Coordinates of all heavy atoms in Angstrom, one line a residue:
M1 N 0.8 -1.2 0.0 CA 0.0 0.0 0.0 C 0.9 1.2 0.0 O 1.9 1.3 0.8 CB -0.9 0.0 1.2 CG -1.7 1.2 1.4 SD -2.8 1.1 2.9 CE -4.2 1.9 2.3
A2 N 0.5 2.2 -0.9 CA 1.3 3.5 -0.9 C 1.1 4.2 0.3 O 0.0 4.3 0.9 CB 0.9 4.2 -2.2
R3 N 2.2 4.9 0.8 CA 2.1 5.7 2.0 C 1.9 7.2 1.5 O 2.7 7.6 0.7 CB 3.4 5.6 2.8 CG 3.3 6.4 4.0 CD 4.5 6.3 4.8 NE 4.4 7.3 5.8 CZ 5.0 7.3 7.0 NH1 5.7 6.2 7.3 NH2 4.8 8.2 7.9
I4 N 1.0 7.8 2.1 CA 0.7 9.2 1.7 C 1.2 10.1 2.9 O 0.7 9.9 4.0 CB -0.8 9.5 1.4 CG1 -1.2 8.6 0.3 CG2 -1.0 10.9 1.2 CD1 -2.7 8.6 0.0
P5 N 2.1 11.0 2.6 CA 2.7 11.8 3.7 C 1.6 12.7 4.3 O 0.8 13.3 3.5 CB 3.8 12.5 3.1 CG 3.6 12.5 1.6 CD 2.7 11.3 1.4
Y6 N 1.7 13.0 5.6 CA 0.8 13.9 6.2 C 1.2 15.3 5.9 O 0.4 16.2 5.8 CB 0.8 13.6 7.7 CG -0.2 14.6 8.5 CD1 -1.5 14.5 8.4 CD2 0.4 15.5 9.3 CE1 -2.3 15.3 9.0 CE2 -0.5 16.5 10.0 CZ -1.8 16.3 9.9 OH -2.7 17.2 10.5
R7 N 2.5 15.5 5.9 CA 3.1 16.9 5.6 C 4.0 16.8 4.3 O 4.6 15.8 4.1 CB 3.9 17.4 6.7 CG 3.1 17.8 7.9 CD 4.0 18.3 9.0 NE 4.7 19.5 8.6 CZ 4.4 20.7 8.8 NH1 3.3 21.1 9.5 NH2 5.1 21.8 8.3
Y8 N 4.2 17.9 3.7 CA 5.1 18.0 2.5 C 5.7 19.3 2.6 O 5.0 20.4 2.7 CB 4.3 17.8 1.2 CG 5.2 17.5 0.0 CD1 5.6 16.2 -0.2 CD2 5.6 18.5 -0.8 CE1 6.5 16.0 -1.2 CE2 6.4 18.2 -1.9 CZ 6.9 16.9 -2.1 OH 7.7 16.7 -3.1
E9 N 7.0 19.4 2.6 CA 7.8 20.6 2.8 C 8.3 21.1 1.5 O 9.3 20.7 1.0 CB 8.9 20.4 3.8 CG 8.5 20.0 5.2 CD 7.7 21.1 5.9 OE1 7.9 22.3 5.6 OE2 6.8 20.7 6.8
P10 N 7.6 22.1 0.9 CA 8.1 22.7 -0.3 C 9.3 23.7 0.0 O 9.4 24.2 1.1 CB 7.0 23.6 -0.9 CG 6.1 23.9 0.4 CD 6.3 22.7 1.3
D11 N 10.2 23.8 -1.0 CA 11.3 24.7 -0.9 C 11.1 25.9 -1.8 O 12.0 26.8 -1.9 CB 12.7 24.1 -1.1 CG 12.8 23.4 -2.4 OD1 12.1 23.8 -3.3 OD2 13.7 22.6 -2.6
A12 N 10.0 26.0 -2.5 CA 9.7 27.1 -3.5 C 8.2 27.3 -3.5 O 7.4 26.5 -3.2 CB 10.2 26.7 -4.8
H13 N 7.8 28.5 -3.9 CA 6.4 28.9 -4.0 C 6.1 29.5 -5.4 O 7.0 30.1 -6.0 CB 6.0 29.9 -2.9 CG 6.2 29.3 -1.5 ND1 5.3 28.5 -1.0 CD2 7.2 29.5 -0.6 CE1 5.7 28.1 0.3 NE2 6.9 28.7 0.5
A14 N 4.9 29.3 -5.9 CA 4.6 29.7 -7.2 C 4.9 31.2 -7.5 O 5.5 31.6 -8.5 CB 3.1 29.5 -7.5
G15 N 4.5 32.1 -6.6 CA 4.7 33.5 -6.8 C 6.2 33.9 -6.8 O 6.6 34.7 -7.6
D16 N 7.0 33.2 -6.0 CA 8.4 33.5 -5.9 C 9.1 33.0 -7.2 O 10.0 33.7 -7.8 CB 9.1 32.8 -4.8 CG 8.6 33.3 -3.4 OD1 8.1 34.5 -3.3 OD2 8.6 32.6 -2.4
L17 N 8.7 31.8 -7.7 CA 9.2 31.3 -9.0 C 8.9 32.2 -10.1 O 9.8 32.5 -11.0 CB 8.7 29.9 -9.2 CG 9.2 28.8 -8.3 CD1 8.5 27.5 -8.5 CD2 10.7 28.7 -8.3
A18 N 7.7 32.7 -10.2 CA 7.2 33.6 -11.3 C 8.1 34.9 -11.3 O 8.5 35.4 -12.3 CB 5.8 34.0 -11.1
E19 N 8.4 35.4 -10.1 CA 9.3 36.6 -10.0 C 10.7 36.3 -10.3 O 11.3 37.0 -11.1 CB 9.1 37.2 -8.6 CG 9.9 38.5 -8.3 CD 9.7 39.0 -6.9 OE1 8.5 39.0 -6.5 OE2 10.7 39.3 -6.3
R20 N 11.2 35.2 -9.8 CA 12.6 34.9 -10.0 C 13.0 34.5 -11.4 O 14.0 34.8 -11.9 CB 13.0 33.7 -9.1 CG 14.4 33.3 -9.2 CD 14.8 32.3 -8.2 NE 16.1 31.7 -8.4 CZ 16.6 30.7 -7.9 NH1 15.8 29.9 -7.1 NH2 17.8 30.2 -8.1
Y21 N 12.0 33.9 -12.1 CA 12.3 33.4 -13.5 C 11.5 34.2 -14.6 O 11.5 33.7 -15.7 CB 12.0 31.9 -13.6 CG 12.9 31.0 -12.7 CD1 12.5 30.6 -11.5 CD2 14.2 30.7 -13.2 CE1 13.4 29.8 -10.7 CE2 15.0 29.9 -12.4 CZ 14.6 29.5 -11.2 OH 15.4 28.8 -10.4
A22 N 11.1 35.3 -14.3 CA 10.5 36.2 -15.2 C 11.4 36.4 -16.4 O 12.6 36.7 -16.2 CB 10.0 37.5 -14.6
G23 N 10.9 36.4 -17.6 CA 11.7 36.7 -18.7 C 12.5 35.6 -19.3 O 13.3 35.8 -20.2
L24 N 12.3 34.4 -18.9 CA 13.0 33.2 -19.5 C 12.5 33.0 -20.9 O 11.3 33.1 -21.2 CB 12.8 32.0 -18.7 CG 13.6 31.6 -17.5 CD1 13.2 30.3 -16.9 CD2 15.0 31.7 -17.7
E25 N 13.4 32.7 -21.8 CA 13.1 32.4 -23.2 C 12.3 31.1 -23.3 O 12.5 30.2 -22.5 CB 14.4 32.3 -24.0 CG 15.1 33.6 -24.2 CD 14.4 34.7 -24.9 OE1 13.8 34.3 -25.9 OE2 14.5 35.8 -24.5
P26 N 11.4 31.0 -24.2 CA 10.6 29.8 -24.4 C 11.6 28.6 -24.7 O 12.7 28.8 -25.3 CB 9.8 30.1 -25.7 CG 9.6 31.5 -25.7 CD 10.9 32.1 -25.1
G27 N 11.3 27.4 -24.1 CA 12.1 26.2 -24.3 C 13.4 26.2 -23.4 O 14.2 25.4 -23.7
T28 N 13.4 27.0 -22.4 CA 14.6 27.0 -21.5 C 14.4 26.0 -20.4 O 13.5 25.9 -19.7 CB 14.7 28.4 -20.9 OG1 14.9 29.4 -21.9 CG2 15.9 28.5 -20.0
E29 N 15.5 25.2 -20.2 CA 15.6 24.3 -19.0 C 16.7 24.9 -18.1 O 17.8 25.1 -18.5 CB 16.0 22.9 -19.4 CG 14.9 22.3 -20.2 CD 15.1 20.8 -20.6 OE1 16.1 20.2 -20.1 OE2 14.4 20.2 -21.3
T30 N 16.3 25.3 -16.9 CA 17.2 26.0 -16.0 C 18.3 25.1 -15.3 O 19.3 25.6 -14.9 CB 16.4 26.8 -15.0 OG1 15.8 25.9 -14.1 CG2 15.5 27.8 -15.6
G31 N 17.9 23.8 -15.1 CA 18.7 23.0 -14.3 C 18.4 23.1 -12.8 O 18.9 22.3 -12.0
D32 N 17.6 24.1 -12.4 CA 17.3 24.3 -11.0 C 16.1 23.4 -10.6 O 15.0 23.5 -11.2 CB 16.8 25.8 -10.8 CG 18.0 26.7 -11.1 OD1 19.2 26.4 -11.1 OD2 17.7 28.0 -11.3
V33 N 16.3 22.6 -9.6 CA 15.3 21.7 -9.2 C 14.6 22.2 -7.9 O 15.3 22.6 -7.0 CB 15.9 20.2 -8.9 CG1 14.8 19.3 -8.3 CG2 16.5 19.7 -10.2
V34 N 13.3 22.3 -7.9 CA 12.5 22.8 -6.8 C 11.5 21.8 -6.4 O 11.1 20.9 -7.1 CB 11.8 24.2 -7.2 CG1 12.9 25.2 -7.5 CG2 10.9 24.0 -8.3
T35 N 11.0 22.1 -5.2 CA 9.8 21.2 -4.6 C 8.7 22.3 -4.3 O 8.9 23.2 -3.6 CB 10.3 20.5 -3.3 OG1 11.5 19.7 -3.6 CG2 9.2 19.7 -2.7
V36 N 7.6 22.0 -4.9 CA 6.4 22.8 -4.8 C 5.2 22.0 -4.2 O 5.2 20.8 -4.5 CB 6.0 23.6 -6.1 CG1 7.1 24.6 -6.5 CG2 5.8 22.6 -7.2
A37 N 4.2 22.6 -3.7 CA 3.0 21.9 -3.2 C 1.9 22.9 -3.3 O 2.0 24.1 -3.2 CB 3.2 21.5 -1.7
G38 N 0.7 22.3 -3.5 CA -0.5 23.0 -3.7 C -1.6 22.1 -4.2 O -1.6 20.9 -4.1
R39 N -2.6 22.8 -4.7 CA -3.8 22.1 -5.3 C -3.8 22.2 -6.8 O -3.4 23.2 -7.4 CB -5.1 22.7 -4.8 CG -5.3 22.4 -3.3 CD -6.6 22.9 -2.8 NE -7.6 21.8 -3.0 CZ -8.8 21.9 -2.7 NH1 -9.3 23.0 -2.0 NH2 -9.6 20.9 -2.9
I40 N -4.3 21.1 -7.4 CA -4.4 21.1 -8.9 C -5.7 21.8 -9.2 O -6.8 21.4 -8.8 CB -4.5 19.6 -9.5 CG1 -3.1 18.9 -9.2 CG2 -4.8 19.7 -10.9 CD1 -3.1 17.5 -9.6
M41 N -5.6 22.9 -10.0 CA -6.8 23.7 -10.3 C -7.3 23.5 -11.7 O -8.4 23.8 -11.9 CB -6.5 25.2 -10.0 CG -6.0 25.5 -8.6 SD -7.2 24.9 -7.4 CE -8.5 26.0 -7.5
R42 N -6.4 23.2 -12.6 CA -6.8 23.0 -14.0 C -5.9 21.8 -14.5 O -4.7 21.7 -14.1 CB -6.4 24.2 -14.9 CG -7.6 25.2 -14.8 CD -7.3 26.4 -15.7 NE -6.9 27.4 -14.8 CZ -6.0 28.4 -15.0 NH1 -5.5 28.5 -16.1 NH2 -5.8 29.3 -14.1
R43 N -6.4 21.1 -15.5 CA -5.7 20.1 -16.1 C -6.0 20.0 -17.6 O -7.1 20.1 -18.0 CB -6.0 18.6 -15.5 CG -5.4 17.4 -16.2 CD -5.5 16.2 -15.5 NE -4.4 16.3 -14.5 CZ -4.0 15.2 -13.8 NH1 -4.6 14.1 -13.9 NH2 -3.0 15.3 -12.9
R44 N -4.9 19.7 -18.4 CA -5.0 19.5 -19.8 C -4.1 18.3 -20.1 O -2.9 18.3 -19.9 CB -4.5 20.8 -20.6 CG -4.8 20.7 -22.0 CD -4.4 21.9 -22.8 NE -2.9 21.9 -22.8 CZ -2.2 23.0 -22.7 NH1 -2.7 24.2 -22.5 NH2 -0.9 22.9 -22.9
D45 N -4.7 17.3 -20.7 CA -4.0 16.0 -21.0 C -3.9 16.0 -22.5 O -4.9 16.0 -23.2 CB -4.9 14.8 -20.5 CG -4.1 13.5 -20.5 OD1 -3.1 13.4 -21.3 OD2 -4.5 12.6 -19.8
Q46 N -2.6 15.9 -22.9 CA -2.4 15.8 -24.4 C -1.5 14.6 -24.6 O -0.3 14.6 -24.7 CB -1.6 17.0 -24.8 CG -2.4 18.3 -24.8 CD -1.8 19.5 -25.5 OE1 -0.6 19.8 -25.3 NE2 -2.6 20.1 -26.3
G47 N -2.2 13.4 -24.8 CA -1.5 12.2 -25.0 C -0.7 11.8 -23.8 O -1.2 11.5 -22.8
R48 N 0.6 11.7 -24.0 CA 1.6 11.3 -22.9 C 2.2 12.5 -22.2 O 3.3 12.4 -21.6 CB 2.6 10.3 -23.5 CG 2.0 9.0 -24.1 CD 1.3 8.1 -23.2 NE 2.2 7.5 -22.3 CZ 1.9 6.9 -21.2 NH1 0.7 6.8 -20.8 NH2 2.9 6.4 -20.4
T49 N 1.5 13.7 -22.2 CA 1.9 14.8 -21.5 C 0.7 15.4 -20.8 O -0.4 15.6 -21.4 CB 2.5 15.9 -22.5 OG1 3.6 15.3 -23.2 CG2 3.0 17.1 -21.7
I50 N 0.9 15.8 -19.5 CA -0.1 16.4 -18.8 C 0.3 17.8 -18.3 O 1.5 18.0 -17.8 CB -0.5 15.6 -17.5 CG1 -1.0 14.2 -17.9 CG2 -1.5 16.3 -16.6 CD1 -1.2 13.3 -16.7
F51 N -0.5 18.8 -18.5 CA -0.3 20.2 -18.0 C -1.3 20.4 -16.9 O -2.5 20.4 -17.2 CB -0.5 21.2 -19.2 CG 0.4 21.0 -20.4 CD1 0.1 20.2 -21.5 CD2 1.6 21.6 -20.4 CE1 0.9 20.0 -22.6 CE2 2.5 21.5 -21.5 CZ 2.1 20.7 -22.6
D52 N -0.8 20.7 -15.7 CA -1.7 21.1 -14.6 C -1.3 22.5 -14.1 O -0.2 22.9 -14.3 CB -1.4 20.1 -13.4 CG -2.0 18.8 -13.6 OD1 -3.0 18.6 -14.4 OD2 -1.5 17.8 -12.9
T53 N -2.3 23.1 -13.6 CA -2.0 24.4 -12.9 C -2.1 24.1 -11.4 O -3.1 23.6 -10.9 CB -3.1 25.4 -13.3 OG1 -3.0 25.7 -14.7 CG2 -2.8 26.8 -12.6
L54 N -1.0 24.4 -10.7 CA -0.9 24.2 -9.3 C -1.0 25.6 -8.6 O -0.4 26.6 -9.0 CB 0.5 23.7 -8.9 CG 0.7 23.5 -7.4 CD1 1.0 22.1 -7.1 CD2 1.9 24.4 -6.9
Q55 N -1.9 25.6 -7.6 CA -2.2 26.8 -6.9 C -1.7 26.6 -5.5 O -2.0 25.7 -4.8 CB -3.7 27.1 -6.8 CG -4.2 28.2 -5.9 CD -4.2 29.5 -6.6 OE1 -4.6 29.6 -7.7 NE2 -3.8 30.5 -5.9
D56 N -0.9 27.6 -5.0 CA -0.5 27.6 -3.6 C -0.9 29.0 -3.0 O -1.6 29.7 -3.7 CB 1.1 27.3 -3.4 CG 2.0 28.4 -4.0 OD1 1.5 29.5 -4.3 OD2 3.2 28.1 -4.1
S57 N -0.4 29.3 -1.9 CA -0.9 30.5 -1.2 C -0.3 31.8 -1.9 O -0.8 32.9 -1.5 CB -0.5 30.5 0.3 OG 0.9 30.5 0.4
T58 N 0.7 31.7 -2.8 CA 1.3 32.8 -3.4 C 0.9 33.0 -4.9 O 1.2 34.0 -5.5 CB 2.8 32.7 -3.3 OG1 3.2 31.6 -4.1 CG2 3.3 32.5 -1.9
G59 N 0.3 32.0 -5.5 CA -0.1 32.2 -6.9 C -0.2 30.8 -7.6 O -0.4 29.8 -6.9
Q60 N 0.0 30.8 -8.9 CA -0.1 29.6 -9.7 C 1.1 29.4 -10.5 O 1.8 30.3 -10.9 CB -1.3 29.7 -10.6 CG -2.6 29.8 -9.9 CD -3.8 29.8 -10.9 OE1 -3.6 30.1 -12.1 NE2 -4.9 29.4 -10.4
I61 N 1.4 28.1 -10.8 CA 2.5 27.7 -11.7 C 2.1 26.4 -12.4 O 1.3 25.6 -11.8 CB 3.8 27.5 -11.0 CG1 5.0 27.4 -12.0 CG2 3.8 26.3 -10.0 CD1 6.3 27.6 -11.4
Q62 N 2.6 26.3 -13.6 CA 2.2 25.1 -14.4 C 3.1 24.0 -14.0 O 4.3 24.1 -13.8 CB 2.3 25.4 -15.9 CG 2.0 24.2 -16.8 CD 2.0 24.6 -18.2 OE1 0.9 24.9 -18.8 NE2 3.1 24.6 -18.9
L63 N 2.5 22.8 -13.9 CA 3.2 21.5 -13.7 C 3.2 20.8 -15.1 O 2.1 20.8 -15.8 CB 2.6 20.6 -12.7 CG 2.5 21.2 -11.3 CD1 1.8 20.2 -10.3 CD2 3.8 21.6 -10.7
F64 N 4.3 20.3 -15.5 CA 4.5 19.7 -16.8 C 5.0 18.3 -16.7 O 6.1 18.1 -16.3 CB 5.5 20.6 -17.6 CG 5.8 20.2 -19.0 CD1 4.9 20.3 -20.0 CD2 7.1 19.7 -19.3 CE1 5.2 19.9 -21.3 CE2 7.4 19.3 -20.6 CZ 6.4 19.4 -21.6
A65 N 4.1 17.3 -16.9 CA 4.5 15.9 -16.7 C 4.5 15.2 -18.0 O 3.5 15.1 -18.7 CB 3.4 15.3 -15.7
R66 N 5.7 14.6 -18.3 CA 5.9 13.8 -19.5 C 6.1 12.4 -19.1 O 6.8 12.1 -18.3 CB 7.0 14.3 -20.3 CG 6.8 15.7 -20.8 CD 8.1 16.3 -21.5 NE 9.0 16.6 -20.3 CZ 10.2 17.2 -20.4 NH1 10.5 17.6 -21.7 NH2 10.9 17.5 -19.4
A67 N 5.4 11.5 -19.9 CA 5.5 10.0 -19.6 C 6.9 9.6 -19.6 O 7.3 8.7 -18.8 CB 4.6 9.2 -20.6
K68 N 7.7 10.1 -20.5 CA 9.1 9.6 -20.6 C 10.1 10.0 -19.4 O 11.1 9.4 -19.3 CB 9.7 9.9 -21.9 CG 9.9 11.4 -22.2 CD 10.5 11.6 -23.6 CE 10.6 13.1 -23.8 NZ 11.2 13.3 -25.2
V69 N 9.7 11.0 -18.6 CA 10.6 11.5 -17.6 C 9.9 11.4 -16.2 O 10.6 11.6 -15.2 CB 11.2 12.9 -17.8 CG1 12.0 12.9 -19.1 CG2 10.1 13.9 -17.9
T70 N 8.6 11.2 -16.1 CA 7.9 11.3 -14.8 C 7.9 9.8 -14.3 O 7.3 8.9 -15.0 CB 6.5 11.8 -14.9 OG1 6.6 13.1 -15.5 CG2 5.8 11.8 -13.6
D71 N 8.5 9.5 -13.2 CA 8.7 8.2 -12.6 C 7.4 7.5 -12.5 O 7.2 6.4 -13.0 CB 9.3 8.2 -11.2 CG 10.8 8.6 -11.3 OD1 11.4 8.5 -12.4 OD2 11.3 9.1 -10.3
D72 N 6.4 8.0 -11.9 CA 5.1 7.4 -11.8 C 4.0 8.2 -12.5 O 3.0 8.7 -12.0 CB 4.7 7.3 -10.2 CG 3.4 6.5 -10.0 OD1 2.9 5.8 -11.0 OD2 2.9 6.5 -8.9
Y73 N 4.2 8.2 -13.9 CA 3.4 9.0 -14.7 C 1.9 8.5 -14.6 O 1.0 9.3 -14.5 CB 3.7 8.9 -16.1 CG 2.9 9.7 -17.1 CD1 3.1 11.0 -17.3 CD2 1.9 9.0 -17.9 CE1 2.3 11.8 -18.1 CE2 1.1 9.8 -18.7 CZ 1.3 11.1 -18.8 OH 0.5 11.8 -19.7
D74 N 1.6 7.2 -14.6 CA 0.2 6.7 -14.4 C -0.4 7.1 -13.1 O -1.6 7.6 -13.1 CB 0.2 5.2 -14.6 CG 0.5 4.8 -16.0 OD1 0.3 5.6 -17.0 OD2 1.0 3.7 -16.2
G75 N 0.4 7.1 -12.0 CA -0.1 7.5 -10.7 C -0.4 9.0 -10.7 O -1.4 9.4 -10.2
Y76 N 0.5 9.7 -11.3 CA 0.3 11.2 -11.4 C -1.0 11.5 -12.2 O -1.8 12.4 -11.9 CB 1.5 11.9 -12.0 CG 1.4 13.4 -12.0 CD1 1.6 14.2 -10.9 CD2 0.9 14.0 -13.2 CE1 1.4 15.5 -10.9 CE2 0.8 15.4 -13.2 CZ 1.0 16.1 -12.1 OH 0.8 17.5 -12.1
G77 N -1.1 10.8 -13.3 CA -2.3 11.0 -14.2 C -3.6 10.7 -13.5 O -4.7 11.2 -13.9
A78 N -3.6 9.8 -12.4 CA -4.8 9.5 -11.7 C -5.3 10.6 -10.8 O -6.4 10.5 -10.3 CB -4.6 8.2 -11.0
L79 N -4.4 11.6 -10.6 CA -4.9 12.7 -9.7 C -5.9 13.5 -10.4 O -6.0 13.5 -11.6 CB -3.6 13.6 -9.4 CG -2.5 12.9 -8.6 CD1 -1.2 13.8 -8.5 CD2 -3.0 12.6 -7.2
G80 N -6.7 14.3 -9.6 CA -7.8 15.0 -10.2 C -7.8 16.5 -9.7 O -7.1 16.9 -8.9
L81 N -8.7 17.2 -10.3 CA -8.9 18.6 -9.9 C -9.2 18.7 -8.4 O -10.0 17.9 -7.9 CB -10.0 19.3 -10.7 CG -9.8 19.4 -12.2 CD1 -10.9 20.0 -12.8 CD2 -8.5 20.2 -12.5
G82 N -8.5 19.6 -7.7 CA -8.7 19.9 -6.3 C -7.8 19.0 -5.4 O -7.7 19.3 -4.2
D83 N -7.1 18.0 -6.0 CA -6.2 17.2 -5.2 C -5.0 18.0 -4.8 O -4.5 18.9 -5.5 CB -5.7 16.0 -6.0 CG -6.7 14.9 -6.2 OD1 -7.8 15.0 -5.4 OD2 -6.5 13.9 -7.0
W84 N -4.6 17.7 -3.5 CA -3.3 18.4 -3.0 C -2.2 17.5 -3.5 O -2.2 16.3 -3.4 CB -3.4 18.4 -1.5 CG -4.4 19.3 -1.0 CD1 -5.7 19.0 -0.6 CD2 -4.2 20.7 -0.6 NE1 -6.3 20.2 -0.2 CE2 -5.5 21.2 -0.1 CE3 -3.2 21.6 -0.8 CZ2 -5.6 22.5 0.2 CZ3 -3.3 22.9 -0.4 CH2 -4.5 23.4 0.1
V85 N -1.1 18.2 -4.0 CA 0.0 17.5 -4.5 C 1.3 18.2 -4.0 O 1.3 19.3 -3.7 CB 0.0 17.4 -6.0 CG1 -1.1 16.5 -6.5 CG2 0.1 18.7 -6.7
G86 N 2.4 17.4 -4.0 CA 3.7 17.9 -3.7 C 4.5 17.3 -4.8 O 4.5 16.1 -5.0
V87 N 5.3 18.1 -5.6 CA 6.1 17.6 -6.6 C 7.5 18.2 -6.6 O 7.7 19.3 -6.1 CB 5.5 17.8 -8.0 CG1 4.1 17.1 -8.2 CG2 5.4 19.2 -8.4
Q88 N 8.5 17.5 -7.2 CA 9.8 17.9 -7.3 C 10.1 17.9 -8.8 O 9.8 16.9 -9.5 CB 10.8 17.1 -6.5 CG 12.2 17.6 -6.6 CD 13.1 16.7 -5.8 OE1 13.1 15.5 -5.8 NE2 14.0 17.4 -5.0
G89 N 10.8 19.0 -9.3 CA 11.2 19.0 -10.7 C 12.0 20.2 -11.1 O 12.1 21.1 -10.2
Q90 N 12.4 20.2 -12.3 CA 13.2 21.3 -12.8 C 12.3 22.5 -13.3 O 11.3 22.3 -13.9 CB 14.0 20.8 -14.0 CG 14.9 21.9 -14.7 CD 15.6 21.3 -15.9 OE1 16.4 22.0 -16.4 NE2 15.3 20.1 -16.3
V91 N 12.7 23.7 -13.0 CA 12.2 24.9 -13.4 C 12.5 25.1 -14.9 O 13.7 25.0 -15.3 CB 12.5 26.1 -12.7 CG1 11.9 27.4 -13.2 CG2 12.2 26.0 -11.2
M92 N 11.5 25.3 -15.7 CA 11.7 25.4 -17.2 C 10.6 26.2 -17.8 O 9.6 26.6 -17.1 CB 11.6 24.0 -17.8 CG 10.3 23.3 -17.5 SD 9.9 21.8 -18.4 CE 9.6 22.5 -20.0
T93 N 10.7 26.5 -19.1 CA 9.7 27.1 -19.8 C 9.3 26.2 -21.0 O 10.2 25.6 -21.5 CB 10.0 28.5 -20.4 OG1 11.2 28.4 -21.1 CG2 10.1 29.5 -19.3
T94 N 8.1 26.1 -21.3 CA 7.6 25.2 -22.4 C 7.9 26.0 -23.7 O 8.4 27.1 -23.8 CB 6.1 25.0 -22.3 OG1 5.4 26.2 -22.4 CG2 5.7 24.2 -21.1
R95 N 7.7 25.3 -24.8 CA 8.0 25.9 -26.1 C 7.2 27.2 -26.3 O 7.5 28.0 -27.1 CB 7.7 24.9 -27.3 CG 8.8 23.8 -27.4 CD 8.5 22.9 -28.5 NE 7.3 22.2 -28.1 CZ 6.8 21.2 -28.8 NH1 7.4 20.8 -30.0 NH2 5.8 20.5 -28.4
S96 N 6.0 27.2 -25.7 CA 5.1 28.4 -25.8 C 5.5 29.5 -24.8 O 4.9 30.5 -24.8 CB 3.7 28.1 -25.7 OG 3.4 27.6 -24.4
G97 N 6.5 29.2 -24.0 CA 7.0 30.2 -23.0 C 6.4 30.2 -21.6 O 6.7 31.1 -20.8
E98 N 5.6 29.2 -21.3 CA 4.9 29.1 -20.0 C 5.9 28.6 -19.0 O 6.5 27.5 -19.2 CB 3.7 28.1 -20.1 CG 2.9 28.0 -18.9 CD 2.0 29.1 -18.6 OE1 1.6 29.8 -19.5 OE2 1.7 29.4 -17.4
L99 N 6.0 29.3 -17.9 CA 6.9 28.9 -16.8 C 6.3 27.7 -16.2 O 5.1 27.7 -15.8 CB 7.0 30.0 -15.8 CG 8.0 29.7 -14.6 CD1 9.4 29.5 -15.0 CD2 7.9 30.8 -13.5
S100 N 7.1 26.6 -16.0 CA 6.6 25.4 -15.5 C 7.6 24.7 -14.6 O 8.8 25.1 -14.6 CB 6.4 24.4 -16.7 OG 5.5 25.0 -17.7
V101 N 7.1 23.7 -13.9 CA 8.0 22.8 -13.1 C 7.8 21.4 -13.8 O 6.6 20.9 -13.9 CB 7.6 22.7 -11.6 CG1 8.4 21.6 -10.9 CG2 7.9 24.1 -11.0
S102 N 8.9 20.8 -14.3 CA 8.7 19.5 -15.0 C 8.7 18.5 -13.9 O 9.7 18.2 -13.2 CB 10.0 19.3 -15.9 OG 10.0 18.1 -16.5
V103 N 7.6 17.8 -13.8 CA 7.4 16.7 -12.8 C 8.3 15.5 -13.1 O 8.3 15.0 -14.1 CB 5.9 16.3 -12.8 CG1 5.7 15.2 -11.7 CG2 5.0 17.4 -12.5
E104 N 9.1 15.1 -12.1 CA 10.0 14.0 -12.2 C 9.5 12.7 -11.6 O 8.7 12.6 -10.9 CB 11.4 14.4 -11.7 CG 11.9 15.6 -12.4 CD 13.3 16.1 -11.9 OE1 13.7 15.7 -10.8 OE2 13.8 17.0 -12.5

């Protein structure tokens, strides 16, 4: 049986990431790995890629989960709107320029 943690300690917040990484060019991978937590407010599933909007107390950031790099992609895909999540991943921008955290 999977163990679900009672607490999750993020080291970054959506609002701070938006401020710190403002102006990144589209398609940029920063190499900076962060841990964020919040609720899934929106979801867009495009084949083997999921785009979620994570809301925390400071704002929103996109989560970008790709089947080829997300360890438990199927488990992540089973999450739904309103679910509380904690994820770790690299800060990046998508090809369209959306600031994101790539779910690992």
Side-chain angles (χ1 to χ4, degrees):
M1 174 178 217
R3 182 181 169 151
I4 300 173
Y6 180 71
R7 290 182 57 98
Y8 195 82
E9 297 294 332
D11 60 17
H13 299 284
D16 298 334
L17 292 173
E19 185 176 311
R20 180 175 175 193
Y21 294 98
L24 278 181
E25 295 293 322
T28 300
E29 294 186 6
T30 66
D32 298 340
V33 176
V34 297
T35 303
V36 294
R39 293 185 85 173
I40 297 174
M41 302 307 287
R42 276 181 257 149
R43 172 165 281 190
R44 190 177 74 217
D45 190 340
Q46 293 189 313
R48 300 296 288 165
T49 303
I50 299 171
F51 298 91
D52 284 336
T53 300
L54 177 119
Q55 171 89 38
D56 68 13
S57 62
T58 66
Q60 295 182 339
I61 191 160
Q62 179 171 268
L63 302 178
F64 181 70
R66 294 172 286 190
K68 64 182 179 181
V69 298
T70 303
D71 288 340
D72 186 9
Y73 180 81
D74 292 331
Y76 183 81
L79 297 170
L81 296 180
D83 284 349
W84 291 92
V85 297
V87 299
Q88 182 177 45
Q90 179 181 188
V91 178
M92 58 168 287
T93 53
T94 61
R95 287 181 292 186
S96 65
E98 183 77 25
L99 181 64
S100 304
V101 173
S102 177
V103 180
E104 296 177 354

